[in-house]
Amino acid sequence: MRKALVAGNWKMNGSSDSNKHLLEGIIKESASFSSVDVALFPPSVYLQQVQEALVSTELAWGTQNLSQFEKGAYTGEISAPMLNDFGCSYVLIGHSERRCLYAEIGLDQLILDYIIAEKYAVAIQAGITPIICIGESPEEHEQGKTEEVIARLVDIVIAQNGVQALSQAVLAYEPVWAIGTGKSATPEWAQEVHSFMRERIYKHDPETAESIQILYGGSVKGDNAAPLFSMPDIDGGLIGGASLDADEFVKICQAAVSY
Ligand code: 13P
């Protein structure tokens, strides 16, 4: 049986004051979702604040991105050893908002998939669990290319690092058309895609396919979380907007308890 994981991606939001309030609100209720893995992803300038608040709790934390390089002249980037310095257990890799930004400077999606596979390997080597985000754009969705987009990244990750490495990772299906739009995928649609991802891994290694947590992300709120999490291949959520509100985020974590 897989454990549920709920991850809160704060994106570029927060301040020292609002973080304090948010962290207190989540920690206060954490006994009500103690059977669920929960991780928070603040902007990295607030890592120390989050680490100090969570270090004596069961909650984990991580960053929203990671460089594939260990150190050097990479202005604005953060390395795996730096994440280790701040006790990060997780890192988000390949979020569509990062992809879009890089696509703007001319990188093709296939090259990006290779870079994501490199970042994933760096995280695993550093003992940090990567949450690899995958999802189709609105155009790809309309063209019926969902499975093609997902298969491409899953296959590259497996080819570059071997299927066993996936047993130390988490996958997140985040359809770009559902992110921040208020239009979540239906539980049935998400289940179909998650099942496709699991089957793709199953062909290489049934054990890893059974054990890997696959999260859904895209407009998850307190009131639509339970039907999503009740699907057999949805093992929790990657939450954006709703992770900035303690009550709403707690509701989502509680919905994962009986999943
Ligand atoms: P929303 O929950 O705001 O749609 O964002 C999802 C997301 O991108 C999480 O990484």
Side-chain angles (χ1 to χ4, degrees), residues 9 11 92 95 97 174 178-181 217-221 238-242:
N9 176 8
K11 306 192 180 182
L92 300 181
H95 193 281
E97 284 152 18
E174 291 213 307
I179 296 179
T181 59
S219 297
V220 179
K221 310 276 178 232
L238 179 50
I239 320 300

Side-chain angles (χ1 to χ4, degrees), residues 233-245:
D233 288 301
I234 301 182
D235 307 314
L238 179 50
I239 320 300
S243 72
L244 300 171
D245 180 300

